[in-house]
Amino acid sequence: MTNIERHTYDVVVIGAGGAGLRAAIEARLAGKKTAIISKSLFGKAHTVMAEGGAAAAMGNVNPRDNWQVHFRDTMRGGKFLNNFRMAELHAKEAPDRIWELETYGALFDRTKDGRISQRNFGGHEYPRLAHVGDRTGLELIRTLQQKIVSLQQEDFAEHGDYEARIRVFQECTITELFVEDGAVSGAFGYYRESGDFVLFESAAIVLATGGVGKSYKVTSNSWEYTGDGHALALRTGATLINMEFLQFHPTGMVWPPSVKGILVTESVRGDGGVLRNTEGKRFMFDYVPDVFRKQYADTEEEADRWYSDPDNNRRPPELLPRDEVARAINSEVKAGRGTKAGGVLLDIASRLPAEQIRKRLPSMYHQFKELADVDITKQPMEVGPTCHYVMGGVEVDADTTAASVAGLFAAGEVSGGMHGSNRLGGNSLSDLLVFGKRAGEHAAAHADRIGRRRPSAAAVDAAVETALAPLARADAGENPYVLHHDLQEIMGVLVGIIRRDGELRESITRLAELKERVKKVGVSGGRRYNPGWHLALDLRNMIIVSECTAKAALERTESRGGHTREDFPKMDPKWRKVNLVCSLDGEDVRLEHKPLPVMRPELQGLFDQSELAKYMTDEEL
Ligand code: FAD
């Protein structure tokens, strides 16, 4: 019989990025015995890599900012496909979540009069991103971890045990969730180092597992982001929405090849950086779409004046939402005006004094110096689109973050709806604080109602068998690294930034073949630190999530946000009313059309009727 370490918790949080930590803090504050599980080392998550900042309408730099403007910007950025209630809660609650971080010990950069400083970012009408240089995520994670330690110290004082009510299980990957009688009963996984199995019995599980970028080769995402939470949710019977919408961040490094995809923060453009093609042209002026024409400058002079006088000038087009900038770069490179390595030039050197560049963008300075031998205070950076963020995710109730399966909650990047078809920069860090808190609160309330649950022995045996299968096949099976390479090839080439009917159909056929091959994946060696085995188990998740993306991308015959169809280049108001919902039918992904919730009239009233007319059908208006 296989040995399994067993634990019982009121609330189990899977993921130790910002969403997971904030959820765990809230569950623990509600008095619940809470586990935090992290595939990576504690403290290593995408949240820690976030550079630019967290968007919150505090109005510290421009007093005209408020939640209504933030709500408007978020809906515009998402091309009105957002779950309006999530966008509303996010805009209203983000400032409180940032101020609360200060009470946990966060030290944001300050304005001259001592308030939290806020910087410009694409799609945000006013300077709105609270930041710490270009290392904001590090401060956010540091502070949340510090809060957890302080709660553990309280528990020690009360119970003589630091881990009495909140415990971290790091380098522990969850591979299975259990659902019995329609409700969650626990989670199963393994420790990466020892390969030992572990079982968590619980009636309330919060998914906070982040993104899916590792299905693509050129990505800003690191190794953990294999869509585990998305796939776990699907396998429990929950649904995913908006999976066709992937954000290709416009500025990833393109050279040298070994670092291709690593993020170049949008703060470079927020702080004055401009994009040029190899002919020296500042090309973004040619790519302002009609829906944004009123808000963006049409001359370089006006765009440059905006940095010092934003009230009387319109914004530079380099600060359009990310989907617009990524498509523009893609077009320039395709038209032969890109660099040899397939990028364009991002110039901050001629726009700010060297000292300010080093002060405001220290990580970027070091990143380019060390990885590309480029001094960004003297030379332009070579940049191009990189797969960065998934807008799609677990379909949740806006207020409670509850998924459709009882006891399952989701927050942060793994959840869907908040960002519609395209996320604005800075809106993720605030999203995960706002909805992380809500997830912890509602998971705790659920645990109060249901008490504890325990998965059946048969379900646990099945999870063990699935986990061991690749090792049983050993060298006789398919090589996981080859399969991963093939998956990245399919997704990058056929389901990339620009999509076409024929290629999407081909991707679905090839993903189906790959799915069969993944079932035969084999790994030699044992369970003790065996990265091939880990990848073999991750592949099952990546393949199913990729199938959702490909099928939804084929179904949506329009272009919107992070989904561009060459054969349907326009936004279609009929599609604005539709969420594509993915669920599992046996092993296959099934798609359904579901109407989007209708925005309340007082929220619609925040927009000009003429603006809404660009997005909505006559019937909706
Ligand atoms: P993450 O922080 O990604 O954490 C996920 C956690 O889940 C990790 O602990 C991981 O180990 C764990 N996990 C995953 N699978 C499993 C499993 N199977 N079992 C157990 N644990 C698991 N957004 C902004 O708003 N502003 C920015 O300036 C910004 N800059 C960014 C810069 C970079 C380089 C990147 C990559 C992203 C950036 N983003 C930014 C996006 C933002 O950082 C992420 O969307 C956000 O941090 C996601 O937070 P999260 O809590 O949902 O998940």
Side-chain angles (χ1 to χ4, degrees):
M1 206 179 95
T2 316
N3 216 13
I4 303 176
E5 184 182 301
R6 287 172 183 264
H7 300 276
T8 304
Y9 280 90
D10 297 318
V11 174
V12 168
V13 178
I14 307 174
L21 297 187
R22 190 62 194 79
I25 289 169
E26 205 60 22
R28 156 63 185 77
L29 288 173
K32 295 289 155 285
K33 189 178 167 205
T34 303
I36 303 171
I37 307 169
S38 164
K39 183 171 174 176
S40 36
L41 283 167
F42 193 49
K44 158 74 186 73
H46 269 164
T47 304
V48 86
M49 294 158 74
E51 295 160 353
M58 297 185 279
N60 287 354
V61 172
N62 191 325
R64 293 188 198 189
D65 203 11
N66 55 42
W67 77 260
Q68 288 93 336
V69 187
H70 193 180
F71 171 76
R72 261 198 327 243
D73 290 345
T74 301
M75 294 298 295
R76 280 177 186 145
K79 305 271 168 34
F80 284 78
L81 201 95
N82 320 52
N83 176 315
F84 78 87
R85 175 66 179 154
M86 290 176 94
E88 178 193 8
L89 290 170
H90 167 256
K92 282 181 173 165
E93 294 177 8
D96 283 345
R97 296 287 77 76
I98 296 293
W99 283 316
E100 178 181 70
L101 276 188
E102 286 215 305
T103 69
Y104 295 176
L107 289 169
F108 289 101
D109 288 355
R110 316 309 286 189
T111 60
K112 284 203 179 87
D113 58 355
R115 292 185 287 176
I116 294 176
S117 175
Q118 301 191 265
R119 67 158 42 119
N120 286 306
F121 240 54
H124 293 280
E125 191 166 340
Y126 298 119
R128 189 176 283 147
L129 270 67
H131 58 275
V132 184
D134 57 2
R135 294 177 183 143
T136 311
L138 178 63
E139 183 66 355
L140 202 134
I141 284 284
R142 183 192 72 75
T143 314
L144 293 171
Q145 288 187 348
Q146 184 171 312
K147 177 71 181 172
I148 285 169
V149 169
S150 82
L151 290 170
Q152 288 180 319
Q153 282 168 344
E154 280 176 23
D155 288 343
F156 182 76
E158 198 177 325
H159 303 281
D161 176 6
Y162 289 109
E163 294 177 332
R165 285 194 292 180
I166 189 161
R167 178 169 168 191
V168 178
F169 297 81
Q170 66 170 347
E171 294 205 88
C172 175
T173 303
I174 295 300
T175 59
E176 218 74 64
L177 297 184
F178 301 110
V179 174
E180 273 144 318
D181 305 322
V184 159
S185 58
F188 170 89
Y190 65 89
Y191 290 104
R192 292 173 60 78
E193 197 178 335
S194 62
D196 291 343
F197 291 130
V198 55
L199 174 69
F200 298 88
E201 300 172 352
S202 182
I205 293 185
V206 177
L207 288 173
T209 49
V212 308
K214 273 296 164 190
S215 298
Y216 288 78
K217 190 165 168 202
V218 179
T219 177
S220 63
N221 287 196
S222 58
W223 62 269
E224 317 84 301
Y225 297 96
T226 51
D228 296 4
H230 292 76
L232 288 167
L234 273 179
R235 288 203 290 269
T236 63
T239 45
L240 306 184
I241 55 169
N242 298 349
M243 290 305 290
E244 63 276 38
F245 297 111
L246 275 172
Q247 182 167 84
F248 291 86
H249 193 292
T251 60
M253 291 179 81
V254 295
W255 183 262
S258 58
V259 299
K260 194 165 176 167
I262 291 184
L263 194 74
V264 178
T265 176
E266 192 168 324
S267 314
V268 177
R269 282 171 287 134
D271 287 355
V274 293
L275 291 163
R276 294 184 203 282
N277 61 25
T278 43
E279 293 167 3
K281 183 171 180 196
R282 201 169 151 185
F283 58 83
M284 277 310 301
F285 290 94
D286 299 340
Y287 292 94
V288 182
D290 283 345
V291 287
F292 289 118
R293 208 166 285 286
K294 260 167 89 180
Q295 293 117 24
Y296 286 83
D298 45 25
T299 63
E300 291 195 26
E301 293 71 28
E302 183 183 0
D304 285 347
R305 281 197 305 270
W306 175 84
Y307 288 101
S308 51
D309 182 10
D311 291 343
N312 296 306
N313 294 287
R314 290 171 300 167
R315 309 163 60 76
E318 282 86 1
L319 292 180
L320 275 159
R322 289 174 175 175
D323 53 327
E324 308 293 352
V325 185
R327 269 192 297 272
I329 294 176
N330 197 62
S331 302
E332 285 297 304
V333 174
K334 227 169 141 188
R337 296 186 289 271
T339 62
K340 267 196 207 144
V344 294
L345 301 170
L346 173 58
D347 167 31
I348 187 85
S350 72
R351 315 264 307 164
L352 285 183
E355 195 185 317
Q356 268 202 49
I357 296 173
R358 277 194 294 266
K359 181 158 178 247
R360 294 183 70 88
L361 302 163
S363 302
M364 285 304 105
Y365 176 76
H366 289 294
Q367 183 171 309
F368 274 89
K369 196 92 191 100
E370 279 157 32
L371 301 179
D373 197 21
V374 166
D375 181 346
I376 67 167
T377 66
K378 298 194 178 108
Q379 299 159 269
M381 296 160 249
E382 215 179 320
V383 295
T386 178
C387 178
H388 182 58
Y389 185 89
V390 59
M391 271 69 73
V394 182
E395 187 181 21
V396 291
D397 174 72
D399 287 77
T400 62
T401 80
S404 54
V405 170
L408 188 66
F409 301 80
E413 190 169 340
V414 69
S415 70
M418 158 69 208
H419 305 284
S421 67
N422 174 51
R423 173 179 72 90
L424 293 186
N427 267 1
S428 173
L429 291 190
S430 39
D431 162 10
L432 51 92
L433 292 172
V434 168
F435 292 103
K437 175 181 187 294
R438 284 180 167 267
E441 182 184 327
H442 291 282
H446 181 84
D448 270 339
R449 283 193 300 274
I450 305 296
R452 290 182 176 167
R453 300 194 75 211
R454 138 179 294 205
S456 69
V460 178
D461 287 347
V464 171
E465 197 180 319
T466 306
L468 291 176
L471 294 169
R473 283 186 287 269
D475 284 340
E478 289 263 8
N479 181 319
Y481 294 98
V482 173
L483 292 175
H484 192 202
H485 170 272
D486 291 353
L487 172 67
Q488 291 183 329
E489 189 72 17
I490 294 171
M491 294 308 284
V493 176
L494 304 175
V495 199
I497 184 164
I498 309 287
R499 298 158 177 184
R500 300 161 191 94
D501 181 281
E503 290 183 355
L504 290 168
R505 285 181 198 280
E506 188 188 336
S507 76
I508 292 166
T509 309
R510 289 183 57 190
L511 285 171
E513 289 161 11
L514 204 59
K515 193 147 87 177
E516 291 307 309
R517 289 172 61 199
V518 166
K519 284 185 199 157
K520 297 180 204 137
V521 66
V523 181
S524 57
R527 272 153 63 190
R528 182 163 284 277
Y529 200 85
N530 185 342
W533 178 47
H534 305 165
L535 177 60
L537 297 178
D538 291 345
L539 274 169
R540 190 164 87 103
N541 300 331
M542 282 189 269
I543 195 96
I544 205 168
V545 170
S546 299
E547 190 182 337
C548 291
T549 300
K551 286 190 168 166
L554 176 64
E555 182 77 1
R556 185 173 284 275
T557 47
E558 67 156 355
S559 292
R560 183 184 295 271
H563 169 63
T564 306
R565 288 283 300 257
E566 195 177 64
D567 40 358
F568 296 94
K570 296 225 163 76
M571 262 192 298
D572 179 344
K574 286 201 301 288
W575 273 109
R576 197 211 65 81
K577 297 194 298 181
V578 180
N579 268 334
L580 290 176
V581 182
C582 298
S583 58
L584 270 193
D585 183 6
E587 289 185 354
D588 288 328
V589 170
R590 186 178 52 201
L591 270 187
E592 270 173 279
H593 290 218
K594 191 168 171 181
L596 223 72
V598 179
M599 207 193 300
R600 295 200 312 277
E602 79 270 20
L603 294 175
Q604 277 205 26
L606 296 173
F607 300 91
D608 273 356
Q609 203 61 7
S610 62
E611 181 175 10
L612 291 178
K614 291 175 188 161
Y615 296 96
M616 295 183 173
T617 59
D618 292 342
E619 175 201 0
E620 279 179 287
L621 290 166

